[in-house]
Amino acid sequence: MGKVNRLKLAVLVSGSGSNLQAIIDACNSADYPAEIVLVFSNQPDAKGLDRARAAGIEAKSLAHKGYPGGREAYDHAVSELIAQSGADLVVLAGYLRLVSESFVKRWEGRLINIHPSLLPSFKGLHAHEQTIAAGVKYSGCTVHFVVPEMDAGPIIAQAVVPVLADDDAHSLGQRILRQEHRIYPQVIRWIAENRVVVGDDGRVTVRDSHSPDFAQINPVTRQG
């Protein structure tokens, strides 16, 4: 049997890279249909780069502060690094930098992001603080295709967690992060298996998937 072609990933990070690690771990499974060919960071000291090097993955960085030519020139340079790596899919995994419209257009349909809220609610930074301030009882994370408008692309998958009465941004964030580590590798698998379809209306369906049949109430109180 010949070698199975695996989807080639470029993963962009800015910090610790815990989602990157979840993807690395998934890629280490023999039946996983993707592999990471590049990890890139806009922060040369990002821990995510160390994770990549420890796994034997090519890791590159380019500081964005003071880059000649500004955002467009910077994003063009990043795009060139991704293209040179041969990546099929660009995965934003805690990449804390808004990408330019030209970058999005170049990788349109091949660029995904994970956001720590149930989009379209609580876009942008400080999603956990926004969630707690709003008093909602559920939050979660969303994997979506990236479009020029921030946190607005077609939603591929979401995971839901309860917001507890004593939550702060850290505790809620940690609960959500555990679900991020579950759904991001799963979505990448679906894309690699050509199961993700974006309709003309911008809604995503996943072939051969099953919708959950559940309802939960938060908070739950004891009777009597």
Side-chain angles (χ1 to χ4, degrees):
M1 181 181 294
K3 183 179 179 181
V4 176
N5 289 328
R6 305 173 86 190
L7 189 74
K8 294 177 172 58
L9 312 175
V11 183
L12 277 55
V13 302
S14 290
S16 68
S18 68
N19 269 308
L20 166 65
Q21 188 63 57
I23 298 167
I24 290 173
D25 293 345
C27 290
N28 285 335
S29 298
D31 66 343
Y32 194 73
E35 61 180 329
I36 302 172
V37 294
L38 173 68
V39 171
F40 172 83
S41 181
N42 62 315
Q43 301 288 352
D45 59 349
K47 185 178 177 181
L49 296 171
D50 297 330
R51 294 181 188 268
R53 294 180 183 119
I57 299 167
E58 183 175 21
K60 293 184 177 181
S61 65
L62 190 63
H64 65 273
K65 290 185 178 179
Y67 191 84
R71 182 182 300 275
E72 289 288 340
Y74 180 85
D75 280 359
H76 177 75
V78 176
S79 278
E80 288 302 303
L81 289 175
I82 295 169
Q84 290 165 15
S85 75
D88 305 304
L89 181 71
V90 182
V91 179
L92 306 183
Y95 188 61
L96 302 179
R97 180 173 169 78
L98 288 176
V99 294
S100 62
E101 184 171 353
S102 61
F103 184 93
V104 174
K105 291 295 185 183
R106 180 166 181 176
W107 300 102
E108 187 173 9
R110 298 179 291 156
L111 177 61
I112 60 174
N113 180 51
I114 192 163
H115 182 76
S117 78
L118 296 176
L119 293 175
S121 298
F122 312 125
K123 298 179 180 181
L125 298 176
H126 310 300
H128 305 317
E129 289 87 348
Q130 293 183 63
T131 297
I132 291 171
V136 300
K137 301 306 181 185
Y138 286 96
S139 186
C141 51
T142 303
V143 181
H144 64 98
F145 286 108
V146 177
V147 297
E149 182 183 348
M150 182 183 68
D151 297 333
I155 292 170
I156 305 169
Q158 294 180 313
V160 178
V161 304
V163 181
L164 305 183
D166 59 352
D167 265 334
D168 57 19
H170 176 75
S171 61
L172 176 59
Q174 289 301 303
R175 189 177 308 114
I176 291 173
L177 193 61
R178 288 192 289 272
Q179 301 309 313
E180 293 182 35
H181 297 166
R182 292 179 61 193
I183 71 169
Y184 219 3
Q186 181 62 68
V187 166
I188 292 168
R189 174 185 285 277
W190 288 339
I191 293 173
E193 293 172 345
N194 294 313
R195 294 170 60 186
V196 175
V197 180
V198 183
D200 293 337
D201 59 359
R203 296 177 63 184
V204 173
T205 56
V206 180
R207 296 191 183 101
D208 302 320
S209 63
H210 301 282
S211 298
D213 181 16
F214 72 92
Q216 298 289 336
I217 297 174
N218 178 28
V220 176
T221 59
R222 293 185 177 89
Q223 300 298 319

